[in-house]
Amino acid sequence: QVQLVESGGGLVQAGGSLRLSCAASGRTFTNAAMGWFRQAPGKEREFVAAISASGGNTVYTESVKGRFTISRDNAKNTVYLQMNSLKAEDTAVYYCAARASGIMTRTSRYDYWGQGTQVTVSS
């Protein structure tokens, strides 16, 4: 079992930065691949970024490459999403998720989810 709690969301102007954190509890965190997803109003939840259990592999959706960075600190049971050069279209509720095996980009492949944190980018 893994419990996930996101934080760090808020209101920021376009071009600004935010860092999201996802604190995990549970013995299996260090063996879990972690992902960040987002859901804008009226849209389906979409993949943003994922990181392997060791932190050695990362994957990003095309629209955030070069702007967002996913990382993790297994000693602190925490995964981060550094978001720079934010755009209005990044506005969404951001969720972190965990799965027992390797990186995947589909929401259906993740077993555990946090409650989400709102990110609003004003233009």
Side-chain angles (χ1 to χ4, degrees):
Q1 285 281 352
V2 177
Q3 292 79 42
L4 306 171
V5 179
E6 302 96 334
S7 61
L11 174 64
V12 63
Q13 288 188 335
S17 298
L18 283 175
R19 188 177 80 156
L20 305 183
S21 299
C22 175
S25 59
R27 294 180 298 172
T28 59
F29 175 78
T30 55
N31 298 322
M34 302 295 295
W36 284 98
F37 294 78
R38 64 187 180 187
Q39 188 167 19
K43 295 188 177 181
E44 294 187 353
R45 193 170 298 187
E46 65 174 1
F47 171 77
V48 176
I51 188 167
S52 61
S54 68
N57 294 314
T58 57
V59 177
Y60 297 91
T61 192
E62 193 65 33
S63 64
V64 309
K65 284 182 180 178
R67 300 189 298 122
F68 291 11
T69 302
I70 188 171
S71 61
R72 66 190 294 162
D73 185 338
N74 285 344
K76 295 182 178 180
N77 283 2
T78 302
V79 64
Y80 304 98
L81 185 68
Q82 178 67 44
M83 305 186 295
N84 299 328
S85 301
L86 283 161
K87 304 176 181 179
E89 51 262 44
D90 295 317
T91 295
V93 177
Y94 283 70
Y95 299 88
C96 72
R99 67 186 308 273
S101 298
I103 290 177
M104 297 291 282
T105 62
R106 293 184 178 182
T107 57
S108 61
R109 298 293 189 177
Y110 283 77
D111 304 305
Y112 306 101
W113 292 85
Q115 83 289 348
T117 186
Q118 177 70 48
V119 171
T120 303
V121 184
S122 62
S123 57

